[in-house]
Amino acid sequence: MSLKIHIDDSAPPYEQVRAQISEQARSGALPVGYRLPTVRGLAESLGLAVNTVAKAYRALESDGVIETRGRNGTVVAAAGPAAVREAASAAQTYAERAHRLGLGEEDALAAVRDALRAAYGDR
């Protein structure tokens, strides 16, 4: 990953970081799953304040460009429409809840099929 911060640029440094990482992820220069440097590490290498890089990372995560995986670090997220990502998140939440309730896979899938039929109508 290669980032350059231009002090004389009208865009604030956090926006420059956000835009460059976003562009590199979009272009494929940063592949899906690429592990980004820590906030502190990137701030040190760019000569920026930690809060500046943290603000850029928060914006990138909000945009769905990156995702934080706890102790596994921050990685480039899979690209896709926001609706698909939101549906995947909802499905994950449902699967975890169905498991906690003790439902088997077939019962959980049957509940989803019933809900989809109700939402979309019998087709």
Side-chain angles (χ1 to χ4, degrees), residues 87-109:
S89 176
Q92 181 66 39
T93 300
Y94 170 75
E96 290 168 359
R97 180 145 186 196
H99 181 71
R100 279 195 310 272
L101 292 170
L103 291 178
E105 185 177 339
E106 287 306 314
D107 289 335
L109 284 171

Side-chain angles (χ1 to χ4, degrees), residues 26-81:
R26 187 191 63 71
S27 72
L30 296 178
V32 171
Y34 177 85
R35 189 170 178 186
L36 296 171
T38 64
V39 168
R40 187 175 308 281
L42 185 57
E44 285 178 13
S45 71
L46 295 174
L48 297 172
V50 171
N51 285 340
T52 299
V53 175
K55 185 175 182 179
Y57 273 27
R58 282 192 304 272
L60 287 162
E61 191 157 27
S62 176
D63 293 344
V65 175
I66 63 173
E67 59 185 38
T68 301
R69 297 182 177 167
R71 300 190 107 167
N72 292 324
T74 301
V75 298
V76 174

